[in-house]
């Protein structure tokens, strides 16, 4: 616990002292070092400061200062040791032994933050170190939030955090603000700065900003194998000595150098590393004068400099950083700080005739250039030549777009055709399981739940697992090779036409996998209007959850052109997104466009491990969803369809069935007559089940909404499936599976066969097919456009910061879906007739 959390009279043993600079020096000189006992004497009347007893004398600390000291109490020591040894038998330990052991355990906990540019390989390193399954994409914006892991290494407990990729620590993007706040507020023990060896100059810019923050840094020189392959020479040992930071070569994608990285981390943490020291980036005489002038005024606020380096704050004020200005606004000498800052900014800009922020940026790059001149020797860039040759084809002004369209078409065509084979195997397995239970289990609600509920519902969704895996195989290949960034580049001009830019394209493409992370990825778009428009049009990108519905309907009604029509459906979604964006940018979100800046990383051969991890991660998510929300939904839908059991039938079905069965006992019946009687009995049983289902709670709900969807050609069963799809689109298929699994014997052709043969049981349409090709198309269009799942609505609310846009999405998409499905059904029937 923190020292500030101890109550009067309580004591603890110091396990770790955080903070930096003058505070850390002062606090250790006062005796606050690891292993010392400290007792709370009393709190001041206003709870701040707090008087402590340590080493035989009393000392007062502000609560904010005490919160930077971690202590172990006897109770905490017991908990820590019990957890570490998996034993609650602590009688053999005396209290001093307990605390001593607890201090050793806690003092061997290292909090590490991974910081680096997008596409530098942070997440690859995170995955290998933690055994995690975060996806690695070869373009910026994959990591849009921090990810955490905990593991043990050589007796140390490592708490690892993968922070969002960022090019700098200004306050320009949400990622930059997030990383800054995390470093200041969470105060990690070690920052591992992951840099791309193929672009040292740009990556080291972030390193200089971390140096300004006065934190413990280790540089992971990632993708070092590429630097070696190019024939470049980099004396990273010398660079480490120049910067006071140890450099460790790594190959994150293959896990090379990571043990050395952890060993170095332990040495830096325990102050055993000989290279580590704090240096100041030299900004030149005039800028240094300005830094010193502002810094001297900031140092008057000692509680502020506990968490923030005064030099860092002075630099940020010279850079006109609004967040730092807001941070010091409540300080008593804010006016003085602000006055000195304005004077120094005007002085520097007057001397150099340049903006002060640009002056500091130029000075940083000058510092980097000087360091690289002494340590780095570049040879001919073979990798770049290869990348340029590939780009000359893939981003060609004429061929680039057709190649992009072809790759997207190939993705969806292969997803359908290749997936058919394993799909058939899984479907056969599901049918066998259903028939086995149906044959050997006695009749009753439990059997009905298992066969017509869980197996039919969940089984009708699980068969699409191969298609999901194949789709994510292609998406992973496009991302990991670096082509996805080129796709954004190719689409930039088109995105400009609709008022957005290429950076919006990445979240939209991610939407083909899942709309939720796609909406979260829109954080990388700096302009708020563009960000919200991107979020609002992302649901038009057909996520993998819709894929089972598409494959079911297309396979049932358009088997000969299923792959091509699948591509058309996805393309319709893209066209709708474009049209909606144009509409919004001309009406609701009128704003000036901003330049498109996006890194085009070198092409890289993706590792089999990374691709398989990505596929399995998405496949396991799909399976978990089936064991969670889909299973619950299936049971709920089955229950609504199974009850009430005491239905009022329009005629006595049981008597008719018994009469026909009595005729079957006649030994003189010929086989054709017997077959005819069996068929008649089956028809009556189906008619009885259809009437019972229509009178169930589910049927009543469907009948209630049927008038609203009848103009679209939909019946009540389709309406119920659409309602269930609000939770997750896969449930549309499982709901249809539950509703149409009315036969107790072998499933002839599966759900697709049942959809093709389903007829209306009442009204003027009695006997006519429910699903025609036109109805199927209208249903697909409705599925494509209407209400995205609840998770997407929640993501829009969270990312936009308002329920307004979430509610707007619900009504806009559902209204548009109804209108488009209406046009498809009505115009389709007019054309056919």
């Amino acid at each position: 616990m923190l020292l500030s959390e101890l109550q009067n009279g309580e004591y603890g043993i110091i396990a770790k002292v955080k903070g930096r600079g003058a505070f850390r020096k002062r606090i250790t000189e006062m005796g606050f070092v690891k292993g010392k006992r400290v007792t709370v004497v009393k709190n001041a009347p206003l709870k701040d400061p707090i008087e402590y007893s340590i080493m035989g004398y009393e000392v007062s600390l502000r609560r904010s200062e005490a919160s930077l000291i971690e202590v172990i109490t006897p109770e905490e020591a017991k908990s820590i040791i019990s957890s570490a040894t998996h034993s609650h038998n602590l009688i053999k330990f005396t209290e001093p032994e307990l605390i001593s052991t607890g201090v050793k355990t806690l003092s061997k906990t290292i909090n590490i933050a991974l910081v680096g540019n997008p596409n530098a390989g942070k997440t690859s390193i995170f995955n290998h170190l933690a055994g995690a399954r975060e996806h690695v994409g070869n373009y910026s914006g994959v990591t849009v939030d921090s990810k955490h892991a905990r593991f043990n290494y050589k007796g140390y407990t490592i708490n690892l955090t993968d922070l969002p990729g960022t090019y700098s620590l200004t306050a320009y993007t949400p990622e930059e603000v997030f990383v800054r706040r995390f470093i200041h507020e969470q105060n990690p023990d070690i920052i591992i700065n992951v840099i791309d060896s193929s672009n040292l100059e740009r990556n080291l810019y972030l390193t200089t900003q971390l140096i300004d923050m006065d934190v413990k840094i280790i540089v992971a020189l990632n993708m070092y194998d590429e630097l070696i392959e190019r024939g470049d020479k980099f004396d990273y040992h010398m660079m480490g000595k120049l910067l006071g930071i140890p450099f460790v070569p790594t190959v994150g994608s293959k896990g090379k150098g990571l043990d050395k990285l952890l060993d170095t981390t332990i040495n830096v943490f325990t102050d055993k590393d000989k290279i580590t020291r704090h240096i100041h980036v030299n900004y030149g005489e005039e800028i240094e004068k300005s830094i010193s002038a502002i810094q001297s005024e900031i140092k008057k606020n000692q509680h502020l400099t506990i968490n923030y380096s005064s030099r860092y704050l002075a630099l940020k004020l010279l850079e006109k950083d609004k967040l730092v200005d807001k941070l010091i606004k409540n300080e008593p000498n804010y006016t003085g700080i602000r006055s000195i800052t304005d004077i120094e900014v005007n002085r520097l800009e007057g001397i150099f005739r340049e903006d002060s922020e640009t002056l500091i940026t130029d000075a940083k790059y000058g510092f980097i250039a000087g360091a690289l001149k002494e340590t780095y020797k570049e040879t001919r860039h073979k990798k770049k030549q290869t990348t340029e040759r590939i780009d000359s084809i893939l981003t060609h002004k004429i061929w680039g777009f057709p190649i992009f369209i072809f790759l997207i078409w190939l993705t969806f065509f292969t997803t359908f055709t290749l997936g058919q084979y394993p799909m058939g195997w899984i479907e056969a397995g599901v049918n066998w399981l259903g028939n086995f239970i149906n044959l050997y289990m006695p009749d009753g609600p439990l059997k009905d739940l298992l066969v017509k509920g869980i197996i039919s519902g969940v089984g009708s969704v699980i068969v699409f697992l191969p298609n999901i895996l194949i789709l994510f195989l292609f998406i992973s290949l496009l991302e990991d090779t670096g082509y996805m960034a080129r796709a954004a580049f190719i689409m930039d001009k088109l995105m400009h036409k609709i008022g957005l830019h290429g950076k919006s394209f990445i979240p939209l493409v991610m939407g083909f996998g899942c709309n939720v992370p796609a909406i979260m990825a829109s954080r990388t778009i700096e302009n708020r209007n563009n960000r919200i428009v991107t979020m609002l049009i992302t649901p038009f990108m057909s996520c993998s959850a819709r894929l089972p519905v598409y494959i079911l309907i297309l396979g049932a009604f358009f088997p000969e052109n299923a792959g091509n029509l699948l591509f058309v459906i996805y393309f319709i979604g893209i066209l709708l997104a474009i049209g909606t964006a144009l509409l919004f940018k001309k009406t609701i979100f009128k704003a000036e466009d901003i330049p498109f800046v996006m890194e085009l990383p070198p092409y890289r051969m993706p590792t089999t491990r990374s691709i398989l991890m990505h596929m399995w991660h998405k496949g396991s998510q799909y399976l978990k969803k089936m064991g969670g929300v889909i299973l619950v939904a299936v049971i709920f839908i089955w229950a609504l369809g199974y009850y009430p059991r005491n239905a009022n039938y329009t005629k006595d079905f049981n008597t008719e069935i018994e009469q026909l069965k009595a005729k079957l006992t006649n030994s003189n019946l010929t086989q054709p007559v017997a077959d005819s009687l069996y068929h008649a009995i089956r028809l009556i049983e189906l008619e009885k089940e259809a009437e019972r289902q229509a009178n169930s709670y589910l049927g009543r709900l469907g009948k209630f909404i049927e008038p609203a969807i009848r103009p679209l050609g939909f019946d009540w069963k389709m309406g119920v499936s659409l309602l269930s799809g609000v939770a997750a689109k896969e449930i549309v298929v499982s709901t249809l599976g539950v509703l149409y699994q009315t036969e107790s014997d072998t499933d002839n052709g599966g759900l697709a066969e049942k959809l093709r043969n389903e007829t209306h049981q009442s009204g003027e349409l009695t006997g006519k097919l429910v699903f025609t090709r036109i109805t199927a198309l209208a249903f697909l269009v409705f599925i494509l456009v209407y209400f995205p799942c609840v998770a997407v609505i929640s993501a829009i609310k969270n990312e936009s910061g308002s329920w307004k846009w979430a509610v707007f999405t619900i009504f806009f998409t559902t209204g548009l879906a109804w209108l488009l499905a209406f046009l498809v059904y009505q115009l389709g029937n007019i054309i056919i007739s």
Side-chain angles (χ1 to χ4, degrees):
M1 72 164 43
L2 301 179
L3 179 59
S4 58
E5 295 172 341
L6 290 177
Q7 303 300 313
N8 289 350
E10 292 182 343
Y11 78 94
I13 305 298
I14 297 173
K16 189 184 291 186
V17 179
K18 298 183 179 180
R20 59 172 56 83
F23 164 75
R24 190 178 178 89
K25 183 180 179 183
R26 177 172 64 88
I27 209 77
T28 52
E29 286 173 349
M30 292 166 63
F32 287 87
V33 292
K34 187 173 76 174
K36 294 300 180 183
R37 174 174 172 147
V38 57
T39 305
V40 182
V41 177
K42 62 176 178 290
N43 281 254
L46 297 177
K47 300 295 183 182
D48 205 5
I50 307 170
E51 185 179 338
Y52 296 99
S53 174
I54 185 168
M55 298 176 68
Y57 71 100
E58 277 70 42
V59 60
S60 293
L61 293 181
R62 292 191 181 92
R63 188 170 290 275
S64 59
E65 295 174 330
S67 65
L68 292 171
I69 301 172
E70 289 188 19
V71 296
I72 289 283
T73 63
E75 288 303 315
E76 268 192 316
K78 289 178 184 177
S79 175
I80 290 170
I81 296 170
S82 296
S83 177
T85 61
H86 304 288
S87 171
H88 298 285
N89 184 19
L90 304 177
I91 299 173
K92 60 182 179 179
F93 288 98
T94 64
E95 186 172 290
E97 288 174 335
L98 270 175
I99 296 178
S100 175
T101 307
V103 167
K104 287 178 183 177
T105 304
L106 188 61
S107 63
K108 283 195 167 187
T109 299
I110 310 176
N111 299 311
I112 302 172
L114 294 176
V115 176
N117 286 188
N119 201 44
K122 287 186 303 81
T123 308
S124 291
I125 290 176
F126 180 83
N127 285 340
H128 273 280
L129 287 177
R133 295 293 179 268
E134 296 302 332
H135 178 49
V136 182
N138 193 10
Y139 61 88
S140 66
V142 172
T143 308
V144 292
D145 208 341
S146 63
K147 293 160 182 83
H148 309 276
R150 186 184 182 95
F151 60 96
N152 295 315
Y153 180 79
K154 292 187 176 180
Y156 286 83
T157 300
I158 309 293
N159 292 319
L160 187 65
T161 302
D162 180 20
L163 294 174
T166 178
Y167 292 107
S168 74
L169 295 176
T170 59
Y172 186 51
T173 68
E175 285 74 24
E176 293 168 351
V177 174
F178 184 92
V179 172
R180 274 172 59 169
R181 283 184 175 160
F182 183 92
I183 293 171
H184 289 312
E185 294 172 8
Q186 301 301 320
N187 203 4
D189 299 310
I190 306 285
I191 302 289
I192 294 182
N193 179 205
V194 182
I195 70 174
D196 180 358
S197 299
S198 65
N199 202 334
L200 291 171
E201 186 174 16
R202 192 202 65 204
N203 279 249
L204 285 169
Y205 181 80
L206 179 59
T207 310
T208 62
Q209 291 185 315
L210 292 170
I211 290 171
D212 290 334
M213 295 179 81
D214 188 14
V215 291
K216 285 187 175 181
I217 311 164
I218 298 169
V219 168
L221 193 60
N222 203 29
M223 305 176 199
Y224 191 69
D225 54 337
E226 294 182 12
L227 184 145
I228 299 298
E229 285 173 17
R230 288 198 308 268
D232 293 353
K233 305 291 183 184
F234 181 44
D235 189 349
Y236 60 85
H237 291 294
M238 177 59 72
M239 177 64 88
K241 290 177 181 177
L242 290 173
L243 300 185
I245 300 169
F247 278 62
V248 181
T250 61
V251 183
S253 60
K254 299 175 183 176
K256 292 183 178 179
L258 300 187
D259 284 345
K260 174 67 174 173
L261 183 65
L262 290 177
D263 290 339
T264 306
T265 300
I266 292 171
N267 286 338
V268 172
F269 178 72
T270 55
D271 296 321
K272 293 178 182 177
D273 187 79
K274 296 177 181 178
I275 293 176
T276 301
R277 75 185 199 281
H278 179 60
I279 68 160
H280 287 168
V281 175
N282 193 318
Y283 293 98
E285 185 179 353
E286 295 300 332
I287 296 177
E288 288 294 338
K289 282 181 184 177
S290 297
I291 293 171
S292 296
I294 301 169
Q295 192 177 1
S296 62
E297 189 66 23
I298 291 172
K299 283 181 176 178
K300 295 177 181 178
N301 308 288
Q302 290 186 1
H303 68 282
L304 187 64
T305 56
I306 292 172
N307 287 314
Y308 298 88
S309 160
S310 57
R311 180 178 172 85
Y312 167 78
L313 294 177
L315 275 164
K316 284 298 170 188
L317 287 172
L318 284 175
E319 289 179 329
K320 304 171 185 175
D321 190 291
K322 292 180 180 177
L323 285 182
V324 168
D325 186 77
K326 186 178 178 182
L327 175 71
I328 64 171
K329 206 154 199 170
N330 294 324
E331 299 303 321
N333 61 337
Y334 169 72
T335 305
I337 298 172
R338 186 71 265 167
S339 175
I340 294 172
T341 301
D342 291 340
I343 291 169
E344 293 303 324
V345 167
N346 291 331
R347 186 180 72 83
L348 290 174
E349 291 181 350
I351 293 171
F352 296 102
R353 304 292 178 186
E354 187 66 86
D355 181 79
S356 61
E357 185 177 2
T358 306
L359 289 173
I360 292 171
T361 301
D362 289 345
K364 283 182 185 294
Y365 277 115
F367 175 83
I368 293 165
L372 287 175
K373 192 171 183 179
E374 294 187 40
T375 57
Y376 182 59
K377 185 178 180 182
E378 188 175 11
T379 57
R380 186 123 180 102
H381 201 317
K382 278 175 111 179
K383 190 79 166 181
K384 194 169 184 180
Q385 286 183 327
T386 304
T387 292
E388 286 174 353
R389 282 199 298 269
I390 298 172
D391 272 345
S392 66
I393 300 170
L394 296 184
T395 61
H396 191 272
K397 62 180 180 181
I398 296 174
W399 306 115
F401 202 77
I403 290 171
F404 167 68
I405 294 292
F406 170 75
L407 288 174
I408 298 299
W409 170 83
L410 181 66
T411 297
F412 300 124
F413 181 78
T414 309
T415 296
F416 188 88
T417 53
L418 248 165
Q420 287 286 70
Y421 301 102
M423 212 176 123
W425 304 332
I426 296 173
E427 189 172 20
V430 169
N431 289 337
W432 176 86
L433 181 61
N435 292 331
F436 180 82
I437 293 176
N438 201 29
L439 186 64
Y440 292 103
M441 192 172 179
D443 291 339
L446 181 59
K447 175 183 175 180
D448 203 87
L449 169 63
L450 289 174
V451 176
K452 297 182 180 179
I454 294 172
I455 293 175
S456 291
V458 176
S460 60
V461 178
I462 201 172
V463 297
F464 299 107
L465 178 62
N467 303 96
I468 301 295
L469 292 176
I470 292 169
L471 176 65
F472 278 105
L473 167 67
F474 276 91
I475 290 177
S476 182
L477 280 169
L478 293 175
E479 291 175 352
D480 291 0
T481 56
Y483 180 76
M484 199 67 87
R486 272 72 185 178
F489 175 78
I490 292 165
M491 294 296 292
D492 182 46
K493 190 170 184 180
L494 178 59
M495 300 301 282
H496 272 290
K497 297 287 186 185
I498 64 175
L500 300 173
H501 55 70
K503 213 167 187 181
S504 296
F505 182 71
I506 294 299
L508 295 179
V509 172
M510 288 178 72
F512 288 133
C514 179
N515 289 167
V516 174
I519 288 167
M520 292 173 68
S522 65
R523 293 180 195 174
T524 58
I525 303 167
E526 291 83 6
N527 182 278
R528 177 172 168 77
N529 283 350
N530 285 349
R531 190 160 66 248
I532 292 177
V533 171
T534 303
M535 282 190 281
L536 295 180
I537 65 175
T538 295
F540 291 121
M541 302 296 106
S542 290
C543 64
S544 58
R546 295 183 177 106
L547 188 60
V549 190
Y550 297 157
I551 292 174
L552 171 67
I553 302 300
L554 292 174
F557 299 98
F558 307 95
E560 65 283 356
N561 293 306
N564 293 327
L565 281 174
L566 183 63
F567 172 73
V568 169
I569 290 168
Y570 277 78
F571 196 69
I572 289 171
I574 294 170
L575 291 177
L576 286 172
I578 291 171
T580 305
L582 278 170
L583 175 67
F584 287 167
K585 291 296 283 186
K586 290 184 182 296
T587 53
I588 308 173
F589 299 100
K590 291 181 180 178
E592 290 185 15
D593 202 3
I594 59 175
F596 168 52
V597 179
M598 184 161 191
E599 178 188 7
L600 294 180
Y603 289 102
R604 292 191 173 96
M605 184 64 68
T607 63
T608 305
R609 182 179 184 274
S610 172
I611 291 172
L612 291 178
M613 274 173 51
H614 188 207
M615 286 175 60
W616 172 244
H617 181 49
K618 293 301 178 184
S620 62
Q621 282 186 331
Y622 189 68
L623 291 172
K624 284 175 185 175
K625 191 184 280 189
M626 270 179 282
V629 63
I630 292 176
L631 179 61
V632 171
V634 160
I635 294 172
F636 181 68
I637 291 162
W638 170 85
L640 289 177
Y642 189 76
Y643 296 104
R645 300 303 292 173
N646 55 343
N648 295 318
Y649 296 106
T650 56
K651 56 183 179 180
D652 192 349
F653 291 106
N654 291 334
T655 302
E656 290 186 18
I657 291 170
E658 291 302 322
Q659 289 173 352
L660 291 173
K661 284 183 177 179
K663 291 180 181 180
L664 282 171
T665 59
N666 189 342
S667 58
N668 296 323
L669 285 178
T670 62
Q671 190 60 42
V673 173
D675 289 342
S676 175
L677 287 172
Y678 278 120
H679 182 65
I681 291 170
R682 193 77 198 115
L683 288 176
I684 294 171
E685 286 176 344
L686 287 174
E687 187 181 354
K688 176 187 175 184
E689 178 60 20
E691 194 167 317
R692 188 203 65 75
Q693 206 172 60
N695 287 309
S696 68
Y697 296 127
L698 194 63
R700 294 171 194 177
L701 178 63
K703 297 285 185 184
F704 177 76
I705 65 169
E706 191 173 30
I709 57 175
R710 174 58 64 192
L712 316 181
F714 302 169
D715 72 342
W716 68 270
K717 291 183 181 179
M718 296 160 78
V720 169
S721 70
L722 292 172
L723 278 179
S724 66
V726 167
K729 289 295 175 285
E730 301 100 329
I731 300 178
V732 172
V733 175
S734 56
T735 303
L736 290 172
V738 172
L739 291 172
Y740 285 104
Q741 290 294 327
T742 53
E743 297 187 46
S744 57
D745 43 10
T746 304
D747 188 3
N748 295 319
L751 182 55
E753 183 71 24
K754 292 176 183 288
L755 294 178
R756 283 194 294 268
N757 298 328
E758 177 73 3
T759 58
H760 290 281
Q761 300 298 317
S762 60
E764 58 185 26
L765 297 175
T766 302
K768 291 186 177 180
L769 291 173
V770 172
F771 270 98
T772 64
R773 285 194 163 199
I774 298 299
T775 311
L777 283 176
F779 190 69
L780 286 174
V781 168
F782 199 92
I783 291 289
L784 166 67
V785 181
Y786 92 112
F787 189 115
C789 69
V790 172
V792 172
I793 296 301
S794 176
I796 292 174
K797 183 263 175 187
N798 291 335
E799 296 303 316
S800 67
S802 169
W803 273 109
K804 177 176 69 174
W805 297 116
V807 173
F808 174 82
T809 301
I810 293 171
F811 287 100
F812 177 75
T813 55
T814 307
L816 182 62
W818 192 96
L819 177 62
L820 293 175
F822 176 82
L823 292 173
V824 169
Y825 180 71
Q826 298 296 342
L827 292 177
N829 281 322
I830 290 170
I831 292 168
I832 288 176
S833 61

